[in-house]
Amino acid sequence: MSAALDTAVAALMRRVAAEAILPRYQTLAAHEVIAKAANDMVTIADTEAEVMLAEGLAAIMPEAAIVGEEAVHADPALSARLDSGLCWIIDPVDGTNNFAAGKPPFGIILALSDGGVTQSGWIYDPLQDRLCIAHLGTGALVNGERITARPTGQTPPIAAISTVFLDSAQRAAVQARIAPWYTLVDIPRCAAEQYPRLVLGVNDISVFERTLPWDHAAGVLFVNEAGGMAARPDGSPYRTDQHGQKGLFAASSPALFEEFVKRSSAAD
Protein backbone atom coordinates (compact mmCIF):
# COMPACT_ATOMS: atom_id res chain seq x y z
CA MET A 1 0.00 0.00 0.00
CA SER A 2 2.69 2.54 0.98
CA ALA A 3 4.74 2.01 -2.20
CA ALA A 4 1.74 2.61 -4.45
CA LEU A 5 0.67 5.54 -2.32
CA ASP A 6 4.15 7.08 -2.48
CA THR A 7 4.24 6.71 -6.25
CA ALA A 8 0.88 8.42 -6.68
CA VAL A 9 1.61 11.23 -4.22
CA ALA A 10 5.08 11.87 -5.64
CA ALA A 11 3.69 12.12 -9.18
CA LEU A 12 1.03 14.55 -7.98
CA MET A 13 3.53 16.76 -6.13
CA ARG A 14 5.87 16.92 -9.11
CA ARG A 15 3.02 17.72 -11.50
CA VAL A 16 1.69 20.51 -9.30
CA ALA A 17 5.18 21.94 -8.86
CA ALA A 18 5.75 21.89 -12.62
CA GLU A 19 2.39 23.38 -13.54
CA ALA A 20 1.43 25.76 -10.72
CA ILE A 21 4.54 26.65 -8.73
CA LEU A 22 7.77 26.73 -10.72
CA PRO A 23 6.35 28.75 -13.65
CA ARG A 24 5.65 31.56 -11.14
CA TYR A 25 8.99 31.37 -9.36
CA GLN A 26 10.67 34.78 -9.76
CA THR A 27 7.89 35.92 -12.11
CA LEU A 28 5.15 36.96 -9.67
CA ALA A 29 3.40 40.24 -10.31
CA ALA A 30 2.68 42.54 -7.37
CA HIS A 31 -1.03 41.78 -7.42
CA GLU A 32 -0.29 38.03 -7.18
CA VAL A 33 1.17 38.39 -3.67
CA ILE A 34 -1.11 39.17 -0.71
CA ALA A 35 -0.27 39.65 2.97
CA LYS A 36 -2.57 37.45 5.07
CA ALA A 37 -1.05 38.76 8.30
CA ALA A 38 2.25 40.05 9.63
CA ASN A 39 5.06 37.76 8.40
CA ASP A 40 2.52 35.65 6.49
CA MET A 41 2.12 35.86 2.73
CA VAL A 42 0.02 34.04 0.16
CA THR A 43 0.53 33.99 -3.61
CA ILE A 44 -1.47 32.85 -6.59
CA ALA A 45 0.82 29.81 -6.70
CA ASP A 46 -0.32 28.82 -3.19
CA THR A 47 -4.00 29.01 -4.01
CA GLU A 48 -3.79 27.30 -7.40
CA ALA A 49 -1.46 24.57 -6.10
CA GLU A 50 -3.75 23.84 -3.17
CA VAL A 51 -6.73 23.33 -5.46
CA MET A 52 -4.74 20.97 -7.67
CA LEU A 53 -3.35 19.03 -4.72
CA ALA A 54 -6.76 18.70 -3.10
CA GLU A 55 -8.28 17.37 -6.30
CA GLY A 56 -5.43 14.93 -6.80
CA LEU A 57 -5.45 13.64 -3.23
CA ALA A 58 -9.21 13.18 -3.34
CA ALA A 59 -8.72 10.94 -6.35
CA ILE A 60 -5.96 8.96 -4.63
CA MET A 61 -7.88 8.40 -1.39
CA PRO A 62 -11.46 9.66 -1.64
CA GLU A 63 -12.41 8.42 1.84
CA ALA A 64 -10.07 10.93 3.51
CA ALA A 65 -11.12 14.46 4.44
CA ILE A 66 -8.93 17.33 3.27
CA VAL A 67 -7.51 20.27 5.21
CA GLY A 68 -5.49 22.82 3.29
CA GLU A 69 -3.69 25.84 4.72
CA GLU A 70 -5.39 28.36 2.47
CA ALA A 71 -8.82 26.74 2.83
CA VAL A 72 -8.54 26.93 6.61
CA HIS A 73 -7.46 30.56 6.38
CA ALA A 74 -10.69 31.24 4.49
CA ASP A 75 -12.82 29.03 6.77
CA PRO A 76 -11.22 28.14 10.15
CA ALA A 77 -14.02 25.67 10.90
CA LEU A 78 -12.46 23.27 8.39
CA SER A 79 -9.70 22.48 10.90
CA ALA A 80 -12.23 20.34 12.79
CA ARG A 81 -11.68 17.71 10.09
CA LEU A 82 -8.36 16.95 11.79
CA ASP A 83 -10.07 15.61 14.91
CA SER A 84 -11.29 12.24 13.68
CA GLY A 85 -10.75 9.83 10.82
CA LEU A 86 -8.41 10.01 7.86
CA CYS A 87 -7.43 13.48 6.74
CA TRP A 88 -5.08 14.84 4.11
CA ILE A 89 -3.15 17.93 5.25
CA ILE A 90 -1.83 20.29 2.58
CA ASP A 91 0.76 23.06 2.61
CA PRO A 92 0.83 23.96 -1.09
CA VAL A 93 3.87 26.26 -0.90
CA ASP A 94 5.77 26.10 2.35
CA GLY A 95 8.19 28.99 2.64
CA THR A 96 5.86 31.36 0.82
CA ASN A 97 7.74 34.45 2.01
CA ASN A 98 10.89 33.08 0.34
CA PHE A 99 8.99 32.12 -2.80
CA ALA A 100 7.37 35.55 -3.03
CA ALA A 101 10.81 37.14 -2.72
CA GLY A 102 12.11 34.98 -5.55
CA LYS A 103 14.55 32.97 -3.45
CA PRO A 104 14.84 29.46 -2.01
CA PRO A 105 14.00 27.45 -0.04
CA PHE A 106 10.36 26.52 -0.52
CA GLY A 107 8.49 23.28 -0.98
CA ILE A 108 5.28 21.28 -0.87
CA ILE A 109 4.32 19.47 2.33
CA LEU A 110 1.62 16.80 2.50
CA ALA A 111 0.59 14.61 5.42
CA LEU A 112 -2.03 11.98 6.11
CA SER A 113 -3.39 11.81 9.64
CA ASP A 114 -5.88 9.53 11.34
CA GLY A 115 -7.61 10.70 14.49
CA GLY A 116 -4.93 13.31 15.15
CA VAL A 117 -1.97 10.97 14.63
CA THR A 118 0.20 11.52 11.55
CA GLN A 119 0.43 8.31 9.55
CA SER A 120 2.45 9.50 6.54
CA GLY A 121 4.31 12.57 5.37
CA TRP A 122 5.84 13.83 2.13
CA ILE A 123 8.14 16.87 1.83
CA TYR A 124 9.12 17.93 -1.68
CA ASP A 125 11.72 20.51 -2.70
CA PRO A 126 11.04 21.17 -6.39
CA LEU A 127 14.27 23.08 -7.01
CA GLN A 128 16.41 20.17 -5.82
CA ASP A 129 13.88 17.49 -6.78
CA ARG A 130 14.34 16.14 -3.24
CA LEU A 131 11.49 14.07 -1.85
CA CYS A 132 11.46 13.11 1.84
CA ILE A 133 8.96 10.41 2.83
CA ALA A 134 8.01 8.87 6.16
CA HIS A 135 5.34 6.38 7.21
CA LEU A 136 4.60 5.66 10.85
CA GLY A 137 6.65 2.73 12.07
CA THR A 138 8.53 2.11 8.81
CA GLY A 139 11.40 4.60 8.78
CA ALA A 140 12.27 7.54 6.56
CA LEU A 141 13.43 7.93 2.97
CA VAL A 142 15.12 10.63 0.90
CA ASN A 143 14.71 10.09 -2.84
CA GLY A 144 13.92 6.45 -2.20
CA GLU A 145 16.96 5.75 -0.01
CA ARG A 146 16.54 4.93 3.67
CA ILE A 147 17.97 7.67 5.87
CA THR A 148 19.13 7.80 9.48
CA ALA A 149 19.36 11.16 11.19
CA ARG A 150 22.89 12.27 11.88
CA PRO A 151 23.99 15.10 14.20
CA THR A 152 26.37 17.71 12.84
CA GLY A 153 29.10 16.59 15.24
CA GLN A 154 29.88 20.23 15.95
CA THR A 155 30.72 21.55 19.42
CA PRO A 156 28.68 23.40 20.47
CA PRO A 157 25.71 21.91 18.61
CA ILE A 158 24.04 23.98 15.90
CA ALA A 159 20.59 25.32 16.76
CA ALA A 160 18.19 27.03 14.36
CA ILE A 161 15.76 28.94 16.53
CA SER A 162 13.08 31.22 15.16
CA THR A 163 12.41 34.31 17.26
CA VAL A 164 9.83 35.75 14.87
CA PHE A 165 6.87 34.67 17.01
CA LEU A 166 8.54 35.04 20.43
CA ASP A 167 7.82 37.89 22.81
CA SER A 168 10.63 40.04 24.20
CA ALA A 169 10.96 37.98 27.40
CA GLN A 170 11.24 34.74 25.42
CA ARG A 171 13.87 36.27 23.16
CA ALA A 172 15.87 37.44 26.17
CA ALA A 173 15.70 33.95 27.67
CA VAL A 174 17.05 32.43 24.46
CA GLN A 175 19.98 34.83 24.41
CA ALA A 176 20.78 34.46 28.10
CA ARG A 177 20.38 30.75 28.67
CA ILE A 178 20.40 28.98 25.30
CA ALA A 179 22.83 30.95 23.15
CA PRO A 180 25.92 30.24 25.32
CA TRP A 181 25.53 26.50 24.82
CA TYR A 182 24.74 26.41 21.09
CA THR A 183 25.86 27.93 17.82
CA LEU A 184 22.74 29.83 16.76
CA VAL A 185 22.05 30.01 13.02
CA ASP A 186 19.35 31.59 10.93
CA ILE A 187 16.26 29.56 10.15
CA PRO A 188 15.33 29.05 6.49
CA ARG A 189 11.75 30.19 7.15
CA CYS A 190 10.64 26.97 5.52
CA ALA A 191 9.72 23.81 7.41
CA ALA A 192 10.18 21.85 4.18
CA GLU A 193 13.88 22.70 4.49
CA GLN A 194 14.27 22.86 8.27
CA TYR A 195 13.21 19.29 9.03
CA PRO A 196 15.51 17.72 6.40
CA ARG A 197 18.40 19.77 7.79
CA LEU A 198 17.99 17.95 11.12
CA VAL A 199 18.28 14.58 9.42
CA LEU A 200 20.99 15.44 6.89
CA GLY A 201 23.59 16.68 9.39
CA VAL A 202 23.14 20.42 8.81
CA ASN A 203 21.43 21.41 12.10
CA ASP A 204 21.17 19.71 15.48
CA ILE A 205 18.25 21.56 17.05
CA SER A 206 15.20 23.46 15.85
CA VAL A 207 12.61 25.25 17.94
CA PHE A 208 9.19 26.25 16.71
CA GLU A 209 6.63 28.45 18.46
CA ARG A 210 3.72 28.10 16.04
CA THR A 211 2.97 24.44 15.31
CA LEU A 212 0.31 24.42 12.60
CA PRO A 213 -0.27 20.93 11.19
CA TRP A 214 0.39 21.80 7.53
CA ASP A 215 3.82 23.09 8.56
CA HIS A 216 4.82 20.37 11.01
CA ALA A 217 2.91 17.08 10.74
CA ALA A 218 5.08 15.61 7.99
CA GLY A 219 8.35 16.98 9.34
CA VAL A 220 7.85 15.71 12.87
CA LEU A 221 7.10 12.25 11.52
CA PHE A 222 10.10 12.39 9.18
CA VAL A 223 12.54 13.31 11.96
CA ASN A 224 11.18 10.69 14.35
CA GLU A 225 11.14 7.92 11.76
CA ALA A 226 14.74 8.80 10.84
CA GLY A 227 15.80 8.27 14.46
CA GLY A 228 15.84 11.87 15.62
CA MET A 229 13.33 13.28 18.07
CA ALA A 230 10.59 15.84 17.56
CA ALA A 231 8.00 16.44 20.26
CA ARG A 232 6.42 18.99 22.51
CA PRO A 233 8.81 20.58 25.02
CA ASP A 234 7.51 18.24 27.75
CA GLY A 235 8.25 15.23 25.56
CA SER A 236 4.64 14.51 24.67
CA PRO A 237 3.87 13.58 21.05
CA TYR A 238 2.92 16.15 18.48
CA ARG A 239 -0.65 15.64 17.26
CA THR A 240 -2.49 17.30 14.42
CA ASP A 241 -5.62 17.87 16.53
CA GLN A 242 -3.92 20.06 19.16
CA HIS A 243 -5.52 23.24 17.86
CA GLY A 244 -3.60 26.36 18.78
CA GLN A 245 -1.07 24.61 20.99
CA LYS A 246 2.35 26.25 20.81
CA GLY A 247 5.88 24.98 21.28
CA LEU A 248 7.77 22.23 19.48
CA PHE A 249 11.36 21.02 19.74
CA ALA A 250 13.12 18.89 17.13
CA ALA A 251 16.60 17.38 17.28
CA SER A 252 18.81 15.11 15.23
CA SER A 253 19.07 12.66 18.14
CA PRO A 254 17.11 11.89 21.33
CA ALA A 255 20.19 12.78 23.39
CA LEU A 256 20.39 16.24 21.84
CA PHE A 257 16.66 16.67 22.40
CA GLU A 258 16.93 15.81 26.11
CA GLU A 259 19.94 18.09 26.59
CA PHE A 260 18.11 20.97 24.94
CA VAL A 261 15.05 20.40 27.13
CA LYS A 262 17.29 20.74 30.20
CA ARG A 263 18.83 23.95 28.88
CA SER A 264 15.48 25.48 27.92
CA SER A 265 13.91 24.52 31.25
CA ALA A 266 16.72 26.36 33.02
CA ALA A 267 15.62 29.46 31.14
CA ASP A 268 12.17 29.46 32.73
Side-chain angles (χ1 to χ4, degrees):
M1 171 63 179
S2 62
L5 182 61
D6 288 341
T7 298
V9 171
L12 174 64
M13 296 174 92
R14 288 189 167 100
R15 178 173 65 84
V16 171
E19 295 179 10
I21 298 173
L22 291 178
R24 290 194 167 91
Y25 182 48
Q26 300 178 332
T27 67
L28 288 166
H31 71 276
E32 295 175 327
V33 182
I34 300 171
K36 293 192 294 186
N39 297 306
D40 196 3
M41 311 294 291
V42 64
T43 74
I44 189 172
D46 296 72
T47 54
E48 290 190 0
E50 183 165 305
V51 170
M52 293 176 66
L53 289 164
E55 291 175 350
L57 294 173
I60 292 169
M61 190 177 293
E63 66 270 28
I66 295 175
V67 168
E69 177 181 6
E70 305 312 328
V72 170
H73 177 72
D75 182 3
L78 293 177
S79 62
R81 295 176 177 177
L82 295 163
D83 297 342
S84 61
L86 286 168
C87 185
W88 289 111
I89 305 169
I90 302 172
D91 189 341
V93 182
D94 183 68
T96 297
N97 285 28
N98 297 335
F99 181 81
K103 63 182 183 181
F106 58 89
I108 302 173
I109 304 178
L110 301 177
L112 182 65
S113 68
D114 191 356
V117 177
T118 308
Q119 303 297 314
S120 302
W122 300 264
I123 304 172
Y124 182 55
D125 180 335
L127 292 180
Q128 299 186 68
D129 194 30
R130 182 186 67 198
L131 179 59
C132 302
I133 297 175
H135 298 287
L136 186 62
T138 68
L141 304 172
V142 176
N143 288 344
E145 299 293 328
R146 189 166 297 277
I147 190 80
T148 299
R150 59 181 187 270
T152 66
Q154 298 296 310
T155 303
I158 297 175
I161 301 177
S162 172
T163 60
V164 172
F165 299 105
L166 300 183
D167 59 32
S168 58
Q170 290 171 316
R171 289 174 183 168
V174 168
Q175 289 301 318
R177 300 298 180 90
I178 300 300
W181 301 98
Y182 296 88
T183 298
L184 301 185
V185 298
D186 290 337
I187 62 166
R189 299 204 68 182
C190 174
E193 172 64 18
Q194 190 61 62
Y195 282 107
R197 286 185 180 185
L198 292 166
V199 171
L200 298 172
V202 179
N203 293 163
D204 293 300
I205 299 288
S206 286
V207 177
F208 305 96
E209 180 70 2
R210 293 201 311 174
T211 64
L212 298 167
W214 38 84
D215 291 325
H216 298 285
V220 167
L221 182 65
F222 178 68
V223 168
N224 286 331
E225 287 296 322
M229 185 169 179
R232 297 295 184 180
D234 64 1
S236 62
Y238 175 84
R239 295 176 55 90
T240 62
D241 56 1
Q242 296 166 321
H243 304 287
Q245 186 168 334
K246 295 184 178 182
L248 177 64
F249 294 168
S252 54
S253 75
L256 283 164
F257 182 96
E258 296 299 337
E259 179 64 22
F260 187 80
V261 167
K262 292 177 183 178
R263 299 292 184 195
S264 62
S265 297
D268 293 337

